[in-house]
Each structure stands twice: as C-alpha cells, then as structure tokens.
Amino acid sequence: MDPALFALFLDAAATFAFVPGPSIVYLIGRTLAGGKRAGLAAMAGVHAGGYVHVIAATAGLTALFELVPWAFAALKLAGAGYVIWLGLRLLIWPESLTGGPGQKLSFWQSFLTEVLNPTTALFFLAFLPQFASPEAALPLPLQLLILGVATNLLFSLADLPYVLAAGSLREKIAQTRLAQRIQRAGGAILVGLGLHLAFSRSSP
C-alpha cells in the first residue's frame, strides 16, 4: 500500500474516531447503567459488530442499500427501536445496583445494536475506497480489509477513555442515593439516542 496514502488515511480515520458521536453516547449510557465492566463489554460488542460492516464493505454487500432504499430505512428503524427498547428497560426496571446488566448480555446487546446500524455500513462503504489503490501490490479486497480493521481499532481506542470515565463516575456514586438516578439517566440517554437515530435524515 502507498505509505503516503496510508498516512493520510490514518489522519482522516483518527479525526472521525475522536470526534464524539452516537457510538460514544451509546457506550456512556450503557456504562452509567451497568458499570465499568458492562461498559467495556459493550465496547467490545460494538467493536465486534464493526467487523461485520468491514467484511460487508470489503465484499461490496452494503452497496445493496443504494439499490434498495427501503432496506436501509427498515434496518435503520430496527436498530433505533432496539436502542430505545434497551433504554426503556433501564428506565422502567433499573438494574440491580450490585451487578447491572451482565457482561455477556451487554456484549451481545451492543453487538446486535452495531450490526443493525446501517449508517456504520455506509460509512465504511464510502470511506474505505478513498484510500485504496488498484495499482498497489496488495489486492483491492485485502486493502479494504486492512483499512477497515485499522478504522475499527481506532474507533475503539477513542471510545475507551469515555467508558473508563463514565465507569469511574458510577463507582463513586454506587453507594449513594444518586445511584438509581444515574442508572435511569443511562436509560434516558439510550432512549434519546434511539429517537435521534430514528428521525435523523441520513439515507443512502
């Protein structure tokens, strides 16, 4: 791969990664609701779900969204609805202060949330080809895969400080009267994020 082009890619990917977005808001909500371990598990789930989109972009599967717009809208609403449902559960039935949502459950819920996010799919489809070159020694699909993995790692690296900070905040107030309110605040964050995703104007 062209070293100069790859350096430009790293600069662009880092810019996207370290600007707070919906993924960071989601992870803060999960961490406030379940604690640091649940937040780290959620981050791992989002990271794993990102690879589904990387593979899809490498194979060109996400281009189907441009050919079938209703599929994009359906997946977008499904993902937003799932995030809202997770938030409502925390608002109506706050988790136990000693445990919160289990790490395994937090991982799989977050994995599914990321897989159901068509905006991530379109981001990889639009972003990765800008930094791949047909003239390079590596085959084009392998270039896209390398760029996708690097992008996903950068996004997870950017998420980590927010999860740790939210986890530390929750630990400090875990034994106070504010604990349950913080859990409900995490649920409210997820509901608000889901509504934002559902009514955002993003499209293929």
Side-chain angles (χ1 to χ4, degrees):
M1 298 177 68
D2 183 349
L5 190 60
F6 189 72
L8 182 62
F9 154 75
L10 289 176
D11 182 59
T15 300
F16 279 112
F18 287 92
V19 173
S23 177
I24 289 175
V25 174
Y26 170 81
L27 290 173
I28 289 174
R30 291 310 304 255
T31 306
L32 290 177
K36 187 178 295 184
R37 290 185 178 182
L40 291 172
M43 190 182 79
V46 169
H47 182 76
Y51 287 120
V52 174
H53 295 299
V54 170
I55 294 171
T58 301
L61 297 178
T62 47
L64 291 174
F65 284 137
E66 296 182 353
L67 300 176
V68 189
W70 64 263
F72 174 88
L75 191 60
K76 174 183 172 182
L77 289 175
Y82 186 63
V83 172
I84 292 171
W85 177 75
L86 292 176
L88 288 175
R89 283 189 61 190
L90 292 172
L91 283 171
I92 300 172
W93 303 290
E95 305 288 349
S96 167
L97 298 183
T98 58
Q103 295 175 52
K104 186 175 181 180
L105 180 61
S106 185
F107 173 89
W108 286 112
Q109 287 178 339
S110 301
F111 174 81
L112 183 58
T113 297
E114 182 68 1
V115 170
L116 290 175
N117 185 358
T119 305
T120 302
L122 291 174
F123 170 78
F124 280 114
L125 180 65
F127 182 68
L128 300 183
Q130 309 300 321
F131 303 96
S133 172
E135 292 78 25
L138 290 177
L140 194 59
L142 183 56
Q143 291 183 61
L144 294 174
L145 182 62
I146 292 172
L147 293 171
V149 170
T151 301
N152 208 28
L153 287 170
L154 277 172
F155 271 81
S156 292
L157 181 63
D159 292 340
L160 183 58
Y162 292 93
V163 171
L164 294 178
S168 297
L169 173 63
R170 188 182 187 277
E171 288 174 358
K172 289 179 181 179
I173 59 150
Q175 304 305 321
T176 70
R177 295 180 179 179
L178 289 174
Q180 197 172 71
R181 293 182 181 179
I182 289 294
Q183 287 182 321
R184 286 199 168 99
I189 288 173
L190 295 182
V191 171
L193 176 61
L195 291 172
H196 171 75
L197 294 174
F199 293 101
S200 64
R201 297 184 178 181
S202 58
S203 66

